[in-house]
Amino acid sequence: MRIRSTGVVIAALAVIASTMVAAPAAQAMPPDPDLSVTSVTLGRTSVAVSGMNMYPVAVTLKASYPPSSPPTAHKVLAVILERSGGVGPINLIVAGNLVRTVGTAQNGTWTGNLNVPSTANGTFKVSGVVEGDSYTGDDGSKPGPTPFAGPSLAIRGVHIPKIGVSVVPRVVPFNAAYQVRAAIYDSATGKAYGTRILLQVVRSNLCAEYDAGSKYTNTAGLLVTNFPGAGGDVNHCVRVRGPYVDQLAFRFYPLRPGIVSAAPAKPSAPAGQVVLVNGSVKGGYFPVPRPVTLQRLYSTGWRGVSSSTVRQSGRITLTAQPPSVGNFTYRVYLPTFQHYQAGAGKTFVIRGT
């Protein structure tokens, strides 16, 4: 797979299964019962943002904590805005690191900026406030956001960035090294921005961590990352980090081959008798049952005769039943499943006696 260094980037990318995600996916924790929000004010009601730029919008928050709270506590808060209209790659933006500039924790004013990316593109409404210098998704160690229905901000994003991904080889063999080629480009023109842009191309838990290690693309918007064979079955992502949440993210799994091996428990059986067919499927753990089919060769082609699912161990058990006296040819077939390709095992014969 080749990605051009100039010209239209989108045409050169073999894009695989993806989900654009910006909002944290962790289970929400209860809000802080001590935090009371009086008002949230935004310095603008609308803003236009282009490309990779971010536009600062002033945020003023008035809130309070109980009299029992030390006056010097609760120095930093964050305001959360969620999408309420329009369409864009992300659904959540955060005004983090709001610092108390007036009053005390019992009756204070916190101020700072909301840095708006073009990927927001739509209408966002203040939905809550949380303590801390940022909001990167609840990990269970602190209270969740305190709900607050605040003002809205209309965002017009133009020349919005988009991420494309190709994996080399396209279908990655098990335990083989592979390469991820990620490109970021202007969705309006299909061309690169002409500047080096920081991307995170990572996998597994690093897709949820803030500081996962960003690297610069070249001026054509391309970043090539090599991965060793181990870990190819986990989730991967390409991220453009914002100050507190992703400005843009592309999540995917590399394609894997469908590899199955199986053999009958015995080579022959009386006509009509059930014969177990045991085998295994190569690949990772499947939280959703993966289907598998036993096929028999007819004059018109292969036809399914029994089906089952792959166990967590990767083992499979199917049943064959020679219908009459004679030799019958079978194979185990794996249909396409998630990021695993279709595949068939070696044929075998069961003789009906």
Side-chain angles (χ1 to χ4, degrees), residues 81-101:
L81 293 86
E82 297 184 65
R83 180 178 297 280
S84 60
V87 177
I90 63 174
N91 294 315
L92 179 144
I93 51 180
V94 174
N97 203 32
L98 301 181
V99 179
R100 190 172 70 243
T101 52

Side-chain angles (χ1 to χ4, degrees), residues 28-300:
M29 292 293 288
D32 185 348
D34 291 337
L35 174 59
S36 296
V37 181
T38 304
S39 67
V40 177
T41 304
L42 302 179
R44 297 177 65 98
T45 58
S46 64
V47 65
V49 194
S50 178
M52 298 301 301
N53 297 314
M54 301 189 82
Y55 194 100
V57 174
V59 179
T60 301
L61 163 67
K62 293 186 177 182
S64 62
Y65 285 86
S68 58
S69 297
T72 57
H74 312 294
K75 291 184 177 181
V76 180
L77 297 177
V79 171
I80 300 147
L81 293 86
E82 297 184 65
R83 180 178 297 280
S84 60
V87 177
I90 63 174
N91 294 315
L92 179 144
I93 51 180
V94 174
N97 203 32
L98 301 181
V99 179
R100 190 172 70 243
T101 52
V102 177
T104 66
Q106 285 79 27
N107 183 16
T109 300
W110 287 256
T111 59
N113 285 328
L114 167 67
N115 293 301
V116 182
S118 67
T119 48
N121 188 56
T123 303
F124 280 70
K125 182 178 175 59
V126 172
S127 63
V129 177
V130 67
E131 185 171 358
D133 60 355
S134 67
Y135 178 76
T136 56
D138 181 60
D139 61 1
S141 63
K142 64 180 182 179
T146 296
F148 183 80
S152 296
L153 179 66
I155 303 164
R156 184 170 68 90
V158 295
H159 295 283
I160 298 171
K162 190 171 184 178
I163 293 171
V165 168
S166 67
V167 178
V168 182
R170 179 179 175 274
V171 179
V172 181
F174 296 103
N175 298 318
Y178 57 97
Q179 189 178 85
V180 172
R181 300 182 180 184
I184 185 165
Y185 57 93
D186 184 338
S187 61
T189 65
K191 296 181 179 180
Y193 290 102
T195 59
R196 301 177 70 201
I197 297 168
L198 279 172
L199 296 182
Q200 289 183 3
V201 182
V202 291
R203 59 187 183 183
S204 191
N205 62 303
L206 292 179
C207 287
E209 294 182 5
Y210 179 80
D211 189 14
S214 297
K215 295 182 179 179
Y216 278 104
T217 67
N218 60 21
T219 55
L222 175 65
L223 177 62
V224 177
T225 305
N226 294 307
F227 287 101
D233 288 313
V234 300
N235 60 303
H236 291 55
C237 62
V238 180
R239 307 165 71 194
V240 180
R241 287 298 304 168
Y244 308 110
V245 292
D246 287 348
Q247 186 177 344
L248 183 63
F250 187 106
R251 307 183 189 278
F252 64 97
Y253 285 79
L255 299 180
R256 288 295 211 180
I259 299 177
V260 58
S261 59
K266 50 187 177 181
S268 64
Q273 187 178 95
V274 171
V275 177
L276 295 181
V277 176
N278 298 304
S280 62
V281 173
K282 198 163 188 177
Y285 164 71
F286 303 106
V288 178
R290 182 181 181 183
V292 60
T293 301
L294 181 68
Q295 296 179 331
R296 197 177 95 204
L297 183 60
Y298 290 76
S299 59
T300 55

Side-chain angles (χ1 to χ4, degrees), residues 301-318:
W302 293 100
R303 191 185 307 170
V305 292
S306 69
S307 61
S308 185
T309 57
V310 182
R311 300 192 290 274
Q312 291 186 10
S313 62
R315 300 291 297 172
I316 57 172
T317 300
L318 298 128

